[in-house]
Amino acid sequence: MKRLSILLAGSALAISAHAVNWVEVSESRSGSMFSIDLDSIESSDISIIDEKDVENITVSMLRTYPKNDASNKWQENRIHHSEQQLLISCKDASYYRRAYVNYDSDNKVTKSWQSKKPILTTKDFKITTPKTIGRTLIEQVCKSAKQDEESDNWTN
């Protein structure tokens, strides 16, 4: 069962990250680096049942944890980096984490998870707080998605 979970979560992330163009967005006080894959940003066909007219965006995010920080609880669990797939609503700067895969420093999977929710509502989304890393990530994704949309309209 664990292999199936790893396979599902890995394939969800692999599909969204077909071509990787990681762009560093922010760094936390603890030294974690947060990046998004610009090539994974795309409109989502996932419907939110209580918010039909909102277009959501999927994106792959990478969090790299600081090295050799004994006080960092993630290092105790041997997480070097984590790839996550997020569903983002630009309308209210909120997100839903669809899947993640944690890796150790040898790039071996230490843990993975994939949402099993077949139907989402706005209550499943977490609204980000202004001037936080989460909000910065969402703003960058929404800005990039808007620029991509404008450039597609320009060329068509």
Side-chain angles (χ1 to χ4, degrees), residues 22-94:
W22 294 115
V23 173
E24 190 176 297
V25 175
S26 190
E27 181 177 355
S28 70
R29 290 182 189 166
S30 68
S32 288
M33 301 301 299
F34 293 85
S35 305
I36 56 172
D37 175 12
L38 294 178
D39 292 336
S40 73
I41 297 172
E42 58 185 40
S43 291
S44 174
D45 59 354
I46 297 170
S47 296
I48 312 306
I49 63 169
D50 57 344
E51 186 108 47
K52 302 222 183 279
D53 294 334
V54 174
E55 185 175 323
N56 295 299
I57 300 168
T58 58
V59 66
S60 292
M61 182 190 77
L62 175 68
R63 179 176 182 176
T64 305
Y65 294 89
K67 297 176 186 172
N68 302 323
D69 182 359
S71 66
N72 185 338
K73 70 177 184 174
W74 301 110
Q75 289 299 317
E76 293 170 17
N77 295 327
R78 300 179 192 211
I79 297 175
H80 177 265
H81 63 281
S82 177
E83 288 186 45
Q84 302 177 31
Q85 186 183 58
L86 305 178
L87 182 61
I88 291 176
S89 172
C90 296
K91 177 184 175 184
D92 63 0
S94 64

